[in-house]
Amino acid sequence: MRAIRAASAALLAAAAVVCAAPTALAGENDHDITSFGFSVTPATVAPGGTVTLKSDGCEVPSVTVTSGVFDTVTLNEGRSGTATVDFDAKAGAQYEITFDCKGERGTTTLTIAQGQGDTGGNTTGGHDRGMPPGAHKGVKAGYGTAAASGADSEGLGVTEVVTGVLLIAGALGAAVVLTRRRGAGGGA
């Protein structure tokens, strides 16, 4: 009976984690929801490359765009603008870009590409412009989720964390059951 209670408690705890995960994700991204739209393209750029900044739906004639990786840009009358990424931007890093519309702020991230010599993160014919045809880049080791999604982000995603929690809860539940059985069998 105790084993059933322990297993039930473990499953209940795991279900609570699963239910809380989407809420935690929503809380992380709440700062990106604004009454106006904004974008940075491309989302990945080499050091020294150029990005296009766009904002629409702001009620004032100008939107200020700031970041630690390029100079402040003012977008006028809903027109897009460009910014040149600093040449000393760290490859593989993600920088926060902030759009300010009359005090309301929205943020997004800009990822700095690994290779130098490529401006704008564009590719031609499947090869980087800075690399000769037939040349291959090495693989990027790390978490499978970053490689599978094509993202340069590091760390575990929600799926991996929830799976890990469920596996740990299951192992703990099995340990409790085995301990109880061993204790009940030895004393009888």
Side-chain angles (χ1 to χ4, degrees):
M1 201 63 159
R2 289 183 189 169
I4 293 173
R5 284 189 216 140
S8 296
L11 287 174
L12 193 57
V17 169
V18 170
C19 291
T23 306
L25 277 182
E28 286 178 10
N29 295 325
D30 282 346
H31 68 280
D32 293 335
I33 300 172
T34 60
S35 64
F36 66 100
F38 56 90
S39 65
V40 176
T41 53
T44 301
V45 65
T50 302
V51 292
T52 301
L53 308 167
K54 185 174 183 183
S55 175
D56 56 15
C58 184
E59 295 176 5
V60 295
S62 65
V63 173
T64 305
V65 185
T66 56
S67 177
V69 74
F70 56 75
D71 293 332
T72 299
V73 175
T74 302
L75 305 176
N76 293 315
E77 302 293 333
R79 294 186 181 132
S80 62
T82 60
T84 302
V85 174
D86 295 338
F87 283 98
D88 61 350
K90 184 179 178 193
Q94 289 189 334
Y95 291 89
E96 188 172 272
I97 313 298
T98 303
F99 290 77
D100 187 331
C101 167
K102 67 177 181 175
E104 180 182 9
R105 292 189 173 117
T107 59
T108 189
T109 56
L110 176 66
T111 303
I112 305 302
Q114 293 292 331
Q116 294 211 2
D118 181 17
T119 56
N122 297 323
T123 58
T124 307
H127 299 284
D128 286 343
R129 290 185 286 183
M131 295 188 68
H136 298 282
K137 290 184 176 182
V139 297
K140 181 178 179 182
Y143 296 110
T145 56
S149 68
D152 288 334
S153 63
E154 295 196 18
L156 298 175
V158 173
T159 305
E160 289 83 6
V161 172
V162 171
T163 303
V165 168
L166 290 174
L167 288 172
I168 291 169
L172 289 173
V176 167
V177 168
L178 290 175
T179 303
R180 301 283 183 193
R181 282 186 185 170
R182 193 170 288 157

